[in-house]
Amino acid sequence: MTTEPAQADWQIIPPEVEFADELAFLAGFDDGPRPAGWRLTPAAVVTFVLGSDGPLKSGRTRMTISPKYVGERGLVERCVVTLAGSRGLLLVGEPGTAKSMLSELLSVGICGTGALTVQGTAGTTEDQLRYGWNYALLLAEGPSQAALVPSPVMTAMRRGAVARIEEITRCLPEVQDALVSLLSERRISVPELGDETVYANKGFAVIATANLRDRGVSEMSAALKRRFNFEHVDPISDRDAEVALVTRRTEQALADTGAAQSVDAAVVEVIVTVFRDLRSGHTGEGWSVERPSTILSTAEAVAVSSAVALTGAWFPNRGDRLRDIPGQLLGVVHKDDGDDAARLLGYWDVAVKRRADAGGAGNPWRTLWEARGQLEGTAR
Ligand SMILES: Nc1ncnc2c1ncn2[C@@H]1O[C@H](COP(=O)(O)OP(=O)(O)OP(=O)(O)O)[C@@H](O)[C@H]1O
Ligand SMILES: [Mg+2]
């Protein structure tokens, strides 16, 4: 007998479970017309993804929809419009810009689940987009409905739901071609079962994601490109929004440990500043700094900030949390290019030093400057 872990013990709670209340509320809040097969109106999907400014009122209930994806409203609206039409949506961008998260939230808003997902890899096969077989049953009984194993895409077609294809450009060309025919014909025939054909019900849509650092989007076939609307997902442009997001995520990480610790705002400020400086190649003061070749996404900033906060929670006697920043930054920056560690040291000597020299007592940059030694010895 297998025992399912209680929901509270799941490592990741999917958004359809975590935000079930919001989804139920939004379905009633906006009862306007919606595309066939959609659970929410397009406007309510956008509100679900971005959150509401203050409480919304529906009948006697009031609810504030929590912010989730941080970004331009126009982008989310365009995504929703694409999904209500007949083309696929392709989210492209640098790693860690929340493409997968946005794709999952859009799916959940539209059809109530983000789980109908195919992970694109060099090993993805056509079967994973169409259907496969339970071979034991197939051998015992021959082809039958019971022996058919539908792909997430086939299931999405049947249900009129959203299918997600992650990292589509990693799939081999022939697998991408299979998708072309799915997207144009909107049906899958199963010749092994005679004239059985699965038709896409209304509401079926495809969201794919592609990473600009992996195999290029240019390697997608022209036929496939034509069937997708491309939307570029950029890093968070607004500094305050990035600080707020990193703070929120760090609070969550701390809450999960059950430690009664609060997020140190100065630490988050410093981390987000370092990430934004290194990402853009210049500081707020206008000094140029050398950009590492590693991507310094918000996802990485969240990881560093959470790691620093957790170190503080689990090793409470370590002293100032600011001192843990250089070591964590090295772990992010020093991935595939040894020169990046030297670039980080260069940033310390230009930006951190000047800020340390400028500030008075309680200046966090001074503590950071004093921790410079942690970066030495790894640079080449
Ligand atoms: N604009 C954003 N809004 C909300 N969260 C963000 C944003 N940018 C980054 N994040 C954080 O980054 C995490 C990772 O995002 P996600 O895995 O969706 O990125 P991705 O673009 O799919 O990356 P990859 O290209 O590596 O697959 C999110 O869970 C979130 O914590
Ligand atoms: Mg992703």
Side-chain angles (χ1 to χ4, degrees):
M1 196 182 89
T2 56
T3 42
E4 294 279 330
Q7 193 175 305
D9 292 337
W10 296 354
Q11 256 190 336
I12 292 181
I13 300 186
E16 57 268 39
V17 176
E18 186 178 1
F19 305 115
D21 292 354
E22 292 188 7
L23 291 164
F25 174 87
L26 283 169
F29 167 73
D30 186 351
D31 56 4
R34 56 201 75 186
W38 284 36
R39 296 209 174 177
L40 303 181
T41 63
V45 174
V46 174
T47 306
F48 175 67
V49 171
L50 293 173
S52 62
D53 303 324
L56 304 176
K57 195 158 173 284
S58 166
R60 289 183 170 187
T61 353
R62 290 161 81 86
M63 190 179 279
T64 303
I65 306 302
S66 60
K68 299 169 194 80
Y69 170 73
V70 176
E72 200 203 322
R73 178 170 294 271
L75 165 75
V76 182
E77 287 174 354
R78 287 195 302 278
C79 291
V80 167
V81 170
T82 297
L83 292 168
S86 60
R87 299 179 94 197
L89 170 66
L90 179 64
L91 300 173
V92 284
E94 298 281 354
T97 44
K99 300 178 294 298
S100 301
M101 181 193 187
L102 178 57
S103 137
E104 187 175 25
L105 290 170
L106 287 165
S107 304
V108 168
I110 291 170
C111 70
T113 179
L116 299 172
T117 304
V118 178
Q119 183 66 46
T121 68
T124 304
T125 60
E126 254 191 81
D127 292 1
Q128 287 166 294
L129 293 179
R130 298 166 65 85
Y131 58 89
W133 297 99
N134 172 335
Y135 285 102
L137 265 184
L138 186 68
L139 289 176
E141 297 173 3
S144 65
Q145 278 291 355
L148 185 84
V149 179
S151 69
V153 180
M154 188 184 249
T155 305
M157 282 184 162
R158 277 190 177 139
R159 289 195 204 158
V162 179
R164 299 170 51 215
I165 301 173
E166 287 280 283
E167 309 290 356
I168 192 172
T169 46
R170 286 195 199 153
C171 298
L172 296 173
E174 53 271 29
V175 177
Q176 295 187 16
D177 287 347
L179 195 58
V180 172
S181 76
L182 288 179
L183 280 172
S184 32
E185 293 167 17
R186 309 247 152 189
R187 62 171 186 240
I188 299 177
S189 52
V190 188
E192 295 89 337
L193 293 181
D195 51 9
E196 170 80 17
T197 300
V198 174
Y199 293 89
N201 277 308
K202 286 184 174 152
F204 171 68
V206 173
I207 310 180
T209 61
N211 197 313
L212 288 173
R213 287 275 171 138
D214 286 333
R215 276 178 48 190
V217 173
S218 55
E219 293 191 36
M220 265 173 86
S221 74
L224 190 55
K225 279 189 198 158
R226 241 182 330 109
R227 283 168 179 81
F228 279 100
N229 266 358
F230 283 51
E231 289 294 345
H232 280 261
V233 183
D234 295 318
I236 302 175
S237 56
D238 183 60
R239 186 178 192 285
D240 294 345
E242 192 168 5
V243 170
L245 173 73
V246 175
T247 306
R248 230 170 29 236
R249 291 275 159 167
T250 311
E251 274 165 1
Q252 271 164 9
L254 277 176
D256 288 346
T257 67
Q261 298 253 349
S262 53
V263 175
D264 187 332
V267 172
V268 174
E269 278 281 336
V270 162
I271 291 171
V272 173
T273 306
V274 173
F275 270 79
R276 293 180 73 85
D277 291 349
L278 290 173
R279 199 183 294 151
S280 63
H282 51 81
T283 70
E285 296 90 338
W287 311 322
S288 335
V289 292
E290 206 181 341
R291 288 167 57 176
S293 61
T294 312
I295 288 290
L296 291 159
S297 65
T298 305
E300 307 276 22
V302 168
V304 168
S305 172
S306 304
V308 170
L310 292 177
T311 309
W314 286 322
F315 304 97
N317 301 323
R318 273 174 76 92
D320 200 329
R321 288 183 211 169
L322 287 163
R323 289 189 177 278
D324 291 321
I325 295 178
Q328 293 293 345
L329 276 175
L330 260 185
V332 168
V333 167
H334 198 35
K335 269 188 192 141
D336 37 25
D337 181 349
D339 293 338
D340 279 349
R343 295 188 181 110
L344 193 57
L345 205 53
Y347 175 78
W348 241 252
D349 291 340
V350 173
V352 176
K353 175 154 199 328
R354 288 189 200 167
R355 288 179 189 143
D357 289 345
N363 171 6
W365 298 97
R366 187 168 290 173
T367 315
L368 235 54
W369 172 248
E370 285 159 8
R372 179 183 183 278
Q374 294 178 32
L375 300 173
E376 288 167 9
T378 46
R380 67 162 196 238

